[in-house]
Amino acid sequence: MTATKETTAGTIPPRALTGSLGVTAIVLMVVAAAAPLTVIGGAAPLGILLGNGVGFPAMFAIAAIVLLFFAVGLAAMTRHVPKPGAFFTFVNYGLGKPAGLATAFLALLTYTTIQVSVHGYVGYILSVTVTGVGGPDLPWYLYSLAVVALVGVLGYRHIDLSSKVLGVLLIGEVGIVLVLVAAVVIAGGADGLSLAPFEPNNVLSGSPSVGLMFAIAAFIGFESTAIFRDEAKDPARTIPRATYVAVVGIGVFYTLASWALVMAWGPDGVVAQAAEDPGAMILITTLKYLGSVGELVMNVLLITSMLACVLSFHNVITRYQHSMSTAKVLPDVLSSVHPKHFAPHVSSVVQTVTAGLLVVLFALLGLDPILQVFTWFSGVATLSVALLMAVTSIAVVVYFARTKRDRRLWNTVIAPSLGFVGLLVSATMIGLNFPFLIGDVNAAGEPAFGVLTAVLLGLIVLFPLAGLLQALWLRRNRPAVYAQITEAIGA
């Protein structure tokens, strides 16, 4: 049902979302956004090949620890700031409205770019798969548009439907990976089982900074738990628990699965296997340990993993837009809630149209769905989310130092400060390796800060700048709207 509240600006009253999502439902949605099977099938082989080789599984554990520090501060804010919006809301309360709006626009860029990058990937995989089984040879973007439409239908309806669909898909992809892990353990791997991936000399080998970059990117989505606050049952308890379960669960799963991938080929052979065909490494490993039937199941679940990912991010973006609309910084119509489905249906339609138009644009530009659409825009999202979380960590410390609403030193100062340091270091490494991440190379094939890097980094600057300028304009020209921004969020 909807709730209304008169505003001082005299505009159409905002409409709030309602629901009864529990910890499990929210965890399923945010873990689905992280796309665990896609990470193990795509990011892990690249982390092994381009990062620190045998030691790459340890990067997932390190990333999980850094993000757990961040999660402590995030959970503290959700208890004392009872409003949805996550980055947008918490930075608003901690660092002020201009910083909050800058963060909001950067968050929209982050989630939109990661979603559209996966749309490119899933379109390509579907095209290859259908052609491989004798189907019509259709261009990737037609499959991407079909997925956009399917996600749009699910996103338009009640959040419970999405959570059920995501739950089924997630159980499938996690299940097949755990079966593969068990098969590797039972077989004893290629050269026996060991803890070689966690030995310091292996962790620090190769390019650890590149490995950590891939690991941080694999967690994108877990932080979105707070966005579902209005639709959660007992949100003061549900959201913090879901946040902790998500980051710990993702971290353990990634570490275990990537360790098994190393064991499957042995510490002496895994890098060579990753170099042979990183994109197909998970399928080749599955064929080796689970046979042709297991390989087929893995291939199908790779596709559904990406479907779950884009559906989850669709839900995140629509609710972000809803929160911003409620705060009067986006058109009011985006705050509308469907009288039957109780979902932000207008925001969902806008997000569906946005994703569809971007896919059409990339098709017209002739971009490659993997080397350009997926690589470029997942790179933008990776750097953006590290910056977002770093800024939010500072906002947590500042908020509690100013308000004294929570005097737990670990939760409000120490943990978020450690998270900030870890995230700042991560963001710096990602920034320095950004050309490498997006494939911007010079004539010699070496990563270089070229035009492509400048354009994509420019997006990361322009979007928050637009939010900052909007805040300054509202403060000067519409002071009543500016004054109520924080209060309106989640009204």
Side-chain angles (χ1 to χ4, degrees):
M1 54 187 300
T2 60
T4 60
K5 179 180 177 182
E6 294 299 328
T7 67
T8 56
T11 56
I12 300 173
R15 283 138 287 189
L17 299 169
T18 61
S20 58
L21 297 176
V23 173
T24 301
I26 294 176
V27 168
L28 288 175
M29 282 189 286
V30 299
V31 173
L37 180 52
T38 303
V39 167
I40 298 305
L46 290 175
I48 291 170
L49 176 62
L50 305 175
N52 53 331
V54 176
F56 178 69
M59 293 296 102
F60 281 132
I62 293 171
I65 292 171
V66 170
L67 296 176
L68 190 57
F69 289 141
F70 164 77
V72 171
L74 190 73
M77 286 293 277
T78 62
R79 292 180 184 276
H80 295 279
V81 180
K83 302 176 186 294
F87 295 133
F88 170 37
T89 305
F90 298 156
V91 174
N92 247 316
Y93 275 80
L95 302 180
K97 298 178 181 67
L101 282 181
T103 301
F105 278 82
L106 183 58
L108 285 179
L109 174 69
T110 301
Y111 293 129
T112 299
T113 51
I114 192 64
Q115 185 199 41
V116 77
S117 72
V118 179
H119 274 306
Y121 203 140
V122 73
Y124 168 78
I125 293 296
L126 280 171
S127 175
V128 171
T129 301
V130 172
T131 303
V133 296
D137 185 8
L138 300 176
W140 67 270
Y141 52 82
L142 293 182
Y143 290 101
S144 293
L145 290 173
V147 172
V148 168
L150 175 60
V151 167
V153 171
L154 292 171
Y156 187 89
R157 299 176 66 83
H158 196 284
I159 190 68
D160 284 347
L161 177 60
S162 290
S163 68
K164 289 184 175 81
V165 172
L166 291 172
V168 172
L169 298 181
L170 186 62
I171 289 171
E173 62 178 292
V174 170
I176 189 65
V177 172
L178 293 179
V179 170
L180 178 59
V181 170
V184 171
V185 171
I186 292 171
D191 301 318
L193 305 179
S194 72
L195 294 178
F198 307 102
E199 295 174 1
N201 60 312
N202 287 327
V203 175
L204 298 176
S205 67
S207 302
S209 62
V210 175
L212 184 59
M213 178 176 68
F214 279 108
I216 291 288
F219 283 80
I220 296 178
F222 94 89
E223 76 291 337
S224 61
T225 50
I227 293 174
F228 298 98
R229 182 185 181 91
D230 278 353
E231 294 158 287
K233 176 173 57 180
D234 191 11
R237 294 173 179 265
T238 301
I239 299 302
R241 289 177 182 175
T243 304
Y244 288 133
V245 170
V247 69
V248 172
I250 292 172
V252 171
F253 178 83
Y254 285 164
T255 304
L256 174 64
S258 58
W259 168 82
L261 197 60
V262 173
M263 293 299 103
W265 299 99
D268 295 329
V270 68
V271 175
Q273 182 61 43
E276 185 175 318
D277 190 350
M281 185 178 182
I282 188 67
L283 295 176
I284 296 171
T285 306
T286 304
L287 178 63
K288 178 181 179 181
Y289 285 90
L290 296 179
S292 57
V293 174
E295 181 195 25
L296 176 62
V297 173
M298 181 68 79
N299 200 4
V300 171
L301 289 173
L302 270 171
I303 295 172
T304 61
S305 172
M306 288 181 273
L307 172 61
C309 176
V310 290
L311 173 57
S312 185
F313 277 118
H314 176 93
N315 287 329
V316 169
I317 298 168
T318 56
R319 280 147 185 82
Y320 227 99
Q321 292 174 162
H322 178 273
S323 291
M324 293 176 67
S325 174
T326 300
K328 305 302 177 186
V329 295
L330 285 182
D332 186 78
V333 68
L334 293 175
S335 67
S336 300
V337 175
H338 196 282
K340 178 181 178 181
H341 302 306
F342 310 125
H345 61 301
V346 177
S347 181
S348 177
V349 171
V350 169
Q351 168 50 209
T352 300
V353 172
T354 300
L357 288 176
L358 286 173
V359 169
V360 170
L361 175 63
F362 298 152
L364 292 175
L365 292 175
L367 299 187
D368 183 276
I370 302 297
L371 299 179
Q372 295 172 317
V373 176
F374 179 76
T375 303
W376 293 358
F377 295 104
S378 61
V380 171
T382 301
L383 178 55
S384 297
V385 79
L387 293 171
L388 282 168
M389 289 191 285
V391 172
T392 304
S393 295
I394 288 297
V396 170
V397 175
V398 172
Y399 175 77
F400 287 113
R402 187 179 69 248
T403 64
K404 311 296 183 186
R405 295 186 63 185
D406 192 330
R407 296 183 181 275
R408 295 174 297 169
L409 196 62
W410 169 255
N411 298 71
T412 62
V413 179
I414 298 175
S417 295
L418 290 173
F420 169 74
V421 173
L423 288 162
L424 185 62
V425 170
S426 300
T428 300
M429 290 192 296
I430 294 170
L432 292 175
N433 288 285
F434 192 77
F436 179 85
L437 184 62
I438 65 170
D440 194 7
V441 297
N442 57 24
E446 301 170 341
F449 281 83
V451 175
L452 177 60
T453 298
V455 170
L456 295 179
L457 288 179
L459 292 176
I460 299 175
V461 173
L462 289 176
F463 268 74
L465 180 60
L468 177 63
L469 292 176
Q470 183 188 29
L472 297 178
W473 185 88
L474 288 173
R475 185 169 64 184
R476 179 172 181 174
N477 298 285
R478 301 183 64 186
V481 173
Y482 179 82
Q484 72 163 6
I485 286 177
T486 302
E487 289 72 20
I489 299 170

